[in-house]
Every structure is written in C-alpha cells, then in structure tokens.
Amino acid sequence: MGYNEQERAFIEWYPRGYGVGFKVKRRLFETQTEYQRLEIYETEGFGKLLVLDGTVQLVEIGEESYHEVLVHPVMLAHPNPKRVLVIGGGDGGTLREVLRHDTVEKAIMVEIDEGVVEASYLYLDVAKDLLDRLIKKEEPRAELIIGDGVKYLRETGGERFDVIIVDSTDPVGPAKLLFSEEFYRDAYEKLNDEGLYITQAGSVYLFTNELLDAYKAMKKVFDRVYYFSFPVIGYASPWSFLIGVKGDVDFTRIDLERAKKLDLYYYDPERHETLFQMPRYVRKLLEGQ
Ligand code: AG3
C-alpha cells in the first residue's frame, strides 16, 4: 500500500487488486493527524497529490474534475442557493467552487480534521487564499468550523440550508456514518423546503455494494434520489455521486444563464443529461431498489 520507493510511485489499492498510481518525484510531507495519516507528494505529471489513510484525495492538476462536478450541478439546479453547508472538504476545493456563485450569502464548511486544512494551506495550490481567509476569519461569505459534521447537523438549532454538500472520504471506514439513514434524516431536516443534498459515493465498479446501500438509505429519506457518475482524475473511475431532493426542485434542469458566467472545464451544464449515462448493470441494480 502506498509509496513504493524503488518504483518512485504512489499507488492506491482498491478491492480486488485494482490500483491507481502516480509516479512521484518525492514525498513533501507526512504526518499522523488526530484522525488519519496524511501524506503529500510531488507527482511527475499532476502537481501535488494529497493522500489520507492511503487513499487519493486529489491531484492539483485535474482536481476540478471532482470539485466542479460535486458542486455545480446542484448549485445550478437549485433556483436560488443562498445558504450552503459543506461537510468535509478540508482542502477548500469544494468551498472555492461554491463561492463562485453570487447567489451564495453564507457558506459553512465543517471539517473534522484541522490537520487537513493546515497541510492544504501550507502545501497545496488548490484554495490557498481562501483557506488563509477562513483561518483568519476574514472571508465575509464563509465560515470554517473544525468539528464533526454528523454532530453539527444533529445539534445545530434553527439553521437551514438550500444545499448540503458532503465531500468526505469513502463510504468504507471512518466516514461510514455519513452514509447512514440516520444522517440522511438529519440532513433532510436541515434543508429548506426546497433543498438539494449531494454526496460523493465511491467507485462505481469497486464499491458497488456501498453505493447501493447509500442509495437505498437515501431513498427512504429524500423525496427523490438521483445517481450520476463522472470520470474523476485520480480515482478509480467512473466515480459515483448521489443526490437527494427535498421539495419541488428539479435536478434534471440547470440554470444555463447562471452557468454561462462560470466557464467550467469538466462539468458541461449544456450537456447536463450526459451525467446520467451509466453502465447498464448499474441502471438495472438501481431500478431494482
Ligand atoms: N474527497 C473524496 C475522496 C474520495 C476518494 N476515495 C478514494 N480515493 N478511494 C476528496 C476531497 C477533495 N476535496
């Protein structure tokens, strides 16, 4: 698992011996935070690489293939997203994309591991300036809370959100609770009457069972649930995303006027429907739920 000195490569091993690897020039940083093992590498062709507990979180070159796709479909499907909650996402990439929408008045990011925020600020060119302003509490439209997202959602009082985005580690391991029916209920309750919830949901081919479990649990809670996948650079592609809808929002329709101002590189709002393309067996499995 991990760094192979001889090969000068970092490899993430998925189940059944499927690997995703990068040739690296050197390891820049390594630490055990309060929650996980964090490593940062300089890769040969993709900028810096952030690894948590042996799993690839992002590479600088291509990180938008994840962050754009996690954020903009829900932000553009919601008629007027003013209040946004991000759970996880300590590298700042998700919040950076959220704040590109002028509709946003307040965005809160709840990250459990301060170590991820610090290392991302120090080593990564993903959202350096934003993280700096968040740490200094100088970002007028956003706030960083270091804490447990599950607890935050359960305990926060009257706060309601238009969009909730979960940018967590995989549905296996420490983030498992973020894929539970109980958690989805708390999220549903904290959404405004018209609200959208999105979570990354793992590799389509390699975590199919976890994906199905999350889908089933979400269907019990949300008014409608959607699935889409996208080829994310650095992950075992295609990568899956699950959307929960509360109330009268149509996730299949995108505000193309607002989309024009964004000038995106990976997610194509004019071809929103192509997100829903999927392997036939996955469609069959989801339809069976
Ligand atoms: N968060 C999602 C990481 C999931 C990757 N899983 C894996 N490589 N097995 C990424 C954080 C980026 N903001």
Side-chain angles (χ1 to χ4, degrees):
M1 189 75 181
Y3 186 35
N4 182 321
E5 191 92 52
Q6 256 164 3
E7 288 279 343
R8 294 192 147 267
F10 175 87
I11 301 173
E12 173 180 352
W13 291 109
Y14 282 81
R16 294 156 57 200
Y18 191 107
V20 174
F22 290 92
K23 282 279 193 185
V24 300
K25 292 184 190 157
R26 62 187 161 271
R27 177 153 52 198
L28 291 175
F29 184 63
E30 183 188 11
T31 187
Q32 176 67 42
T33 73
E34 208 181 322
Y35 294 93
Q36 52 210 336
R37 197 173 129 82
L38 182 155
E39 298 158 90
I40 293 176
Y41 295 89
E42 177 74 46
T43 70
E44 280 188 11
F46 288 83
K48 277 162 253 149
L49 159 67
L50 172 65
V51 177
L52 293 177
D53 278 345
T55 65
V56 171
Q57 299 300 301
L58 60 83
V59 276
E60 284 175 339
I61 299 178
E63 48 91 359
E64 298 90 343
S65 63
Y66 175 82
H67 291 125
E68 283 188 4
V69 169
L70 180 65
V71 171
H72 301 304
V74 281
M75 292 298 285
L76 292 170
H78 193 286
N80 190 15
K82 290 187 188 159
R83 295 181 47 83
V84 179
L85 174 66
V86 176
I87 294 182
D91 53 80
T94 295
L95 188 60
R96 179 196 70 205
E97 294 300 316
V98 167
L99 292 174
R100 293 177 67 190
H101 294 259
D102 324 319
T103 54
V104 175
E105 291 169 2
K106 182 76 188 280
I108 295 177
M109 170 165 118
V110 184
E111 163 63 54
I112 199 165
D113 193 344
E114 197 167 17
V116 176
V117 178
E118 276 166 12
S120 302
Y121 166 66
L122 288 172
Y123 292 96
L124 299 178
D125 286 313
V126 170
K128 226 185 228 317
D129 297 345
L130 173 60
L131 292 178
D132 186 36
R133 291 196 299 277
L134 285 173
I135 292 165
K136 293 183 181 148
K137 301 198 184 300
E138 282 172 1
E139 172 57 53
R141 291 192 299 152
E143 181 189 345
L144 165 66
I145 296 175
I146 299 296
D148 178 345
V150 175
K151 263 205 197 138
Y152 177 82
L153 261 195
R154 185 158 316 144
E155 289 163 10
T156 173
E159 299 237 53
R160 291 286 180 277
F161 299 94
D162 301 305
V163 173
I164 298 177
I165 301 173
V166 177
D167 181 10
S168 68
T169 47
D170 291 347
V172 285
K176 224 178 147 92
L177 267 183
L178 296 172
F179 296 87
S180 65
E181 187 183 328
E182 213 187 340
F183 178 72
Y184 296 141
R185 288 202 189 282
D186 290 334
Y188 185 88
E189 200 182 299
K190 297 290 149 58
L191 280 171
N192 279 321
D193 294 343
E194 289 198 329
L196 287 172
Y197 175 94
I198 186 164
T199 178
Q200 72 91 0
S203 165
V204 176
Y205 294 137
L206 299 158
F207 298 140
T208 314
N209 288 336
E210 289 79 3
L211 167 64
L212 278 181
D213 287 346
Y215 183 78
K216 276 188 264 184
M218 281 178 73
K219 278 198 85 163
K220 288 192 193 153
V221 174
F222 290 95
D223 301 336
R224 284 174 302 290
V225 178
Y226 292 88
Y227 157 97
F228 71 76
S229 64
F230 201 82
V232 172
I233 295 173
Y235 303 169
S237 275
W239 205 253
S240 66
F241 298 83
L242 290 170
I243 295 86
V245 180
K246 178 172 177 179
D248 202 15
V249 193
D250 185 355
F251 181 67
T252 64
R253 307 228 2 214
I254 290 299
D255 186 335
L256 290 174
E257 280 311 304
R258 278 194 283 139
K260 267 189 209 144
K261 295 183 217 144
L262 293 170
D263 191 20
L264 303 172
Y265 196 70
Y266 292 92
Y267 166 56
D268 186 354
E270 287 157 77
R271 298 286 179 274
H272 183 67
E273 72 282 358
T274 60
L275 281 183
F276 301 99
Q277 198 276 332
M278 64 184 94
R280 183 165 179 269
Y281 85 89
V282 175
R283 177 166 63 79
K284 293 280 170 202
L285 282 170
L286 294 178
E287 280 171 3
Q289 304 309 318

